Amino acid sequence: MATLDQCRAALDRLAQNLSSADGNVRSAAAFDRSLSCRITDLDVTFLGRLSHGAIQDVASVPGPPPHKAEIRLSMAGDDLVDLVDGKLNFAKAWGSGRVKLEAGLRDLLRLRTLL
């Protein structure tokens, strides 16, 4: 089971990857939305903001998110680490229910380039 520190490091790597991306990935992430990533097995939620192609202001809170973010992810800690490391395919994980993604239709269409 991934630790809280490993999950935080994975989110930091994801933020770095987004901020250094170019082309379609950069343009797909270049909007302003609140984010939450619930790590189910650790009972913690990371909150942040996707803004100008970067994930900013990441903080963790115990339990479920205190408010409904515009883009919401939910998964086990190991799955987060594996997704960021490229060991787990997002589409397969989402299709099997290992990863849950909730967002408005317009956001989902933009996010498909990232995922």
Side-chain angles (χ1 to χ4, degrees), residues 21-57:
D22 55 7
N24 290 339
V25 172
R26 180 79 173 175
S27 64
F31 59 116
D32 188 27
R33 296 288 185 269
S34 59
L35 298 171
S36 69
C37 182
R38 175 134 171 83
I39 307 301
T40 55
D41 55 340
L42 297 177
D43 193 29
V44 68
T45 301
F46 289 94
L47 305 170
R49 189 134 204 105
L50 179 62
S51 181
H52 305 294
I55 299 174
Q56 303 171 353
D57 304 324

Side-chain angles (χ1 to χ4, degrees), residues 86-97:
K87 296 176 184 175
L88 180 63
N89 178 281
F90 179 84
K92 289 181 182 178
W94 181 61
S96 69

